[in-house]
Amino acid sequence: MVQHLREEKTSDVQSLADPGHPVKCSPVIIDNVSLNGPTLNVLASENFIHQSMSIIVEDAIKKATDVREKVCEWRSPEQLKELLDLELRDGGESESEILQRFKDAIRYSVKTTHPRFFNQLYAGMDPYSVVASFIIEALKPSLYTYEVAPVFTLVEEAVLKKMMELIGWKDGGDGIFNAGGSMSNMYAVNLARYRCCPDIKENGLSAAPHLVMFTSQECHYSISKAAALLGIGTKNVYAIPSDERGKMIPSALEEQILSAKSEGAVPFMVNATAGTTVLGAFDPIDEIADICEKHNLWLHVDACWGGAALVSSKHKHLLKGIHRADSVAWNPHKMLMACLQCSAFMVRDKTSLLQRCHSARASYLFQQDKFYDVSYDTGDKSVQCSRKPDAFKIWLMWKALGSRELEQRVDRALAMARYLAQEIKQREGFCLLMEPEYANICFWYIPPSLRNLPDGPELWGKLHKVAPVIKERMMKKGSMMVGYQPHGEKANFFRMIIISPQVSRQDMDFVLDEIHNLGKDL
């Protein structure tokens, strides 16, 4: 029911079309909801944002990147639930209470931008990328059509073009930014399958032969997840043995391909890894590409971690042959330090394979009779609908720094890794698994009580328990974060990842000193 209330006291409403000149009009109420005028106080919101930004700059940027501050303020899940008051209620809280809520959220979060955070394949803080993230959140664009995201559509195109140049695709290609490296690898599997069996898109798995794919035993777990999600099946992912450095063995790959064919299976794809998660190994892409060409298999290179070496003239040899790949995944949010998430999937094909594989032709978004060039409406290439313009986070940073400074970042990180490896070899009680090829440094710490034990099951059984205890102690102290894991039959060891240009030689020395201090009594 619509009511027109004509009381003069309630009828003076500012015209939205001309806010400088109030006009008298009757309020409109539908279902007891007044529809005249906005309900959001923009001025109050602006004040809240100003206050919030001050806290963010002080607590989430300055303190979080200060080496004198803790990496984390550890609390157990039970304690943190009490501290944060997570319950959602019918009534809202005051502004002061909300400000305290996000102060607490910052305080008890892990500071991944801290100089002594070495736990993941991402770290550090780049101010330009942070600002780009703020802009994205403030504007709330969605990157499916040019009409709603004109600037960011062109930015994504420019970044992908530059990344494809670094890969070595002189004639360009196609690509899309998406929600993480795992999603990029899923795109690769789906696209490779579509090229092999295009009828699957319409007819489903009933139209598919017994498809099999190949990847190294050191690959990222997202390859198996993609096979499970797409109905290929994890048992149809053949794990190819790796050598002692963690690199796929090409001769073993070809043996497995021939074996699969002899059993009546249809090989369709090989995944090579450029920078494995644990050891930082780079598969021999050139040799793998030879095999893929011989057997007409799609070659995907998961360079999510190692792709950054392409910006370095000194280290790009690690990805020799990547220009021969059919598709590449590369995460600038890792070594290049763009804000999470920033993940690119690129394909060498220029026949709109990406579009044909994923297109649904939604008529409310992708009308073909628009007044501009609809080739800039890239959303139909994506399995997502809403999609953030993540490329802006690397574009603004790249514009500010230039390729030369990005190259220096990569070179410095890898030089710092070499320094740490040298220090480990010189210190009693520390033992490298292997010389690092990239920015992954894997090593054991052997407490004094174990140093005289002979090499054997007793030593390795006890050593397996050392890293988890030291990790617990460093977390509760908040001094740093370094990851650990077992690997095959190897006992738990530390996996140190070096990325941030904030990191210094003194931080490397601190890590080794701290591990010793936290574990010398074990």
Side-chain angles (χ1 to χ4, degrees):
M1 184 177 68
V2 179
Q3 296 179 353
H4 293 276
L5 304 183
R6 301 186 181 280
E7 289 88 347
E8 212 169 86
K9 291 181 181 179
T10 60
S11 64
D12 290 336
V13 180
Q14 268 198 322
S15 169
L16 294 178
D18 189 2
H21 299 83
V23 296
K24 290 186 177 182
C25 63
S26 301
V28 175
I29 295 178
I30 298 178
D31 294 337
N32 292 320
V33 177
S34 174
L35 303 183
N36 283 60
T39 58
L40 177 67
N41 186 330
V42 177
L43 182 61
S45 300
E46 199 174 300
N47 291 334
F48 174 74
I49 290 170
H50 279 302
Q51 291 182 71
S52 302
M53 290 302 295
S54 297
I55 295 169
I56 290 168
V57 170
E58 183 63 30
D59 294 359
I61 295 178
K62 286 174 65 176
K63 287 183 180 178
T65 57
D66 188 341
V67 74
R68 296 166 298 182
E69 299 284 338
K70 289 184 176 183
V71 176
C72 66
E73 188 78 45
W74 176 257
R75 295 292 188 276
S76 70
E78 293 73 22
Q79 291 172 322
L80 203 51
K81 286 178 184 178
E82 290 295 321
L83 286 166
L84 296 180
D85 184 14
L86 298 169
E87 184 181 350
L88 299 172
R89 302 178 178 87
D90 291 341
E93 295 184 338
S94 67
E95 186 174 285
S96 61
E97 287 175 311
I98 294 303
L99 290 171
Q100 186 59 49
R101 295 292 182 220
F102 80 73
K103 279 185 181 180
D104 290 341
I106 295 170
R107 177 181 177 183
Y108 297 113
S109 291
V110 173
K111 312 305 186 294
T112 65
T113 56
H114 193 282
R116 290 177 180 165
F117 176 84
F118 307 105
N119 206 71
Q120 250 63 51
L121 300 182
Y122 65 90
M125 190 276 293
D126 180 88
Y128 306 105
S129 195
V130 169
V131 169
S133 298
F134 287 166
I135 293 169
I136 289 168
E137 296 303 328
L139 293 177
K140 290 176 63 177
S142 187
L143 202 63
Y144 30 62
T145 62
Y146 179 84
E147 66 181 282
V148 295
V151 172
F152 301 117
T153 297
L154 299 182
V155 162
E156 181 176 71
E157 180 184 60
V159 174
L160 288 169
K161 181 175 181 288
K162 184 66 175 180
M163 293 174 78
M164 286 187 279
E165 285 176 8
L166 291 171
I167 289 169
W169 294 342
K170 295 179 181 178
D171 296 327
D174 199 359
I176 196 165
F177 273 73
N178 59 81
S182 293
M183 182 68 78
S184 291
N185 289 336
M186 189 201 75
Y187 269 105
V189 176
N190 200 40
L191 207 59
R193 183 177 66 174
Y194 178 77
R195 188 194 68 162
C196 178
C197 306
D199 289 345
I200 290 178
K201 179 177 179 180
E202 291 185 356
N203 299 325
L205 296 179
S206 61
H210 178 198
L211 295 171
V212 295
M213 53 191 287
F214 306 85
T215 189
S216 87
Q217 63 187 35
E218 299 288 327
C219 77
H220 193 262
Y221 65 85
S222 60
I223 301 299
S224 289
K225 282 201 169 189
L229 183 65
L230 294 169
I232 292 165
T234 57
K235 287 186 177 180
N236 294 315
V237 180
Y238 285 52
I240 309 302
S242 301
D243 63 17
E244 69 281 354
R245 302 256 339 152
K247 301 171 181 288
M248 186 194 294
I249 301 171
S251 59
L253 169 64
E254 186 151 35
E255 287 175 14
Q256 294 257 34
I257 292 170
L258 293 171
S259 175
K261 284 183 174 181
S262 70
E263 295 168 359
V266 178
F268 74 101
M269 173 185 175
V270 175
N271 172 71
T273 308
T276 59
T277 305
V278 178
L279 301 178
F282 288 74
D283 287 341
I285 300 171
D286 247 343
E287 295 175 63
I288 295 169
D290 288 340
I291 295 168
C292 288
E293 288 177 8
K294 180 179 177 181
H295 295 278
N296 191 30
L297 302 180
W298 183 282
L299 173 57
H300 173 64
V301 177
D302 175 0
C304 289
W305 173 220
L310 290 169
V311 307
S312 167
S313 57
K314 188 182 296 183
H315 298 292
K316 65 183 179 182
H317 67 88
L318 293 169
L319 297 103
K320 184 175 180 292
I322 193 171
H323 66 284
R324 301 173 66 187
D326 293 291
S327 59
V328 174
W330 178 359
N331 288 0
H333 70 234
K334 291 182 175 174
M335 178 63 80
L336 293 184
M337 291 175 54
C339 284
L340 283 164
Q341 57 201 17
C342 190
S343 306
F345 172 70
M346 292 159 286
V347 58
R348 186 155 47 107
D349 175 88
K350 295 185 70 177
T351 67
S352 301
L353 187 67
L354 190 59
Q355 174 98 9
R356 285 183 280 120
C357 180
H358 299 116
S359 173
R361 300 178 182 175
S363 60
Y364 66 93
L365 279 176
F366 307 117
Q367 305 94 329
Q368 296 304 295
D369 53 358
K370 291 182 179 179
F371 62 94
Y372 59 85
D373 182 354
V374 294
S375 69
Y376 288 99
D377 288 354
T378 58
D380 219 14
K381 295 189 290 189
S382 170
V383 296
Q384 299 169 249
C385 181
S386 298
R387 189 166 61 90
K388 286 190 175 184
D390 293 322
F392 189 59
K393 291 179 277 193
I394 181 66
W395 178 83
L396 195 65
M397 182 177 78
W398 208 323
K399 290 288 282 185
L401 301 176
S403 298
R404 283 193 298 272
E405 189 160 338
L406 291 179
E407 179 178 19
Q408 289 167 11
R409 280 187 177 181
V410 174
D411 290 348
R412 188 177 187 276
L414 269 62
M416 196 69 72
R418 305 297 179 269
Y419 171 81
L420 181 62
Q422 291 172 11
E423 287 297 302
I424 288 169
K425 288 187 286 187
Q426 294 171 10
R427 291 203 185 202
E428 185 180 7
F430 287 85
C431 179
L432 272 179
L433 265 74
M434 61 183 68
E435 290 287 339
E437 185 173 27
Y438 197 47
N440 309 47
I441 307 93
C442 300
F443 62 95
W444 288 285
Y445 170 71
I446 306 167
S449 66
L450 303 182
R451 291 175 192 172
N452 294 323
L453 285 179
D455 190 355
E458 182 184 2
L459 170 63
W460 293 107
K462 290 183 176 180
L463 191 60
H464 188 68
K465 300 175 182 178
V466 169
V469 175
I470 293 175
K471 177 63 179 284
E472 177 185 356
R473 290 176 176 180
M474 73 172 72
M475 290 285 290
K476 289 182 175 177
K477 185 178 177 183
S479 57
M480 62 182 188
M481 278 185 68
V482 179
Y484 76 88
Q485 70 282 307
H487 186 260
E489 296 181 355
K490 291 182 173 67
N492 278 323
F493 55 86
F494 290 105
R495 183 202 65 165
M496 175 97 172
I497 303 295
I498 299 174
I499 296 174
S500 174
Q502 290 176 270
V503 172
S504 68
R505 174 185 63 80
Q506 289 84 353
D507 293 309
M508 300 297 96
D509 296 338
F510 174 84
V511 166
L512 300 183
D513 291 341
E514 184 74 348
I515 286 175
H516 173 68
N517 290 333
L518 293 172
K520 61 186 177 184
D521 64 326
L522 297 175

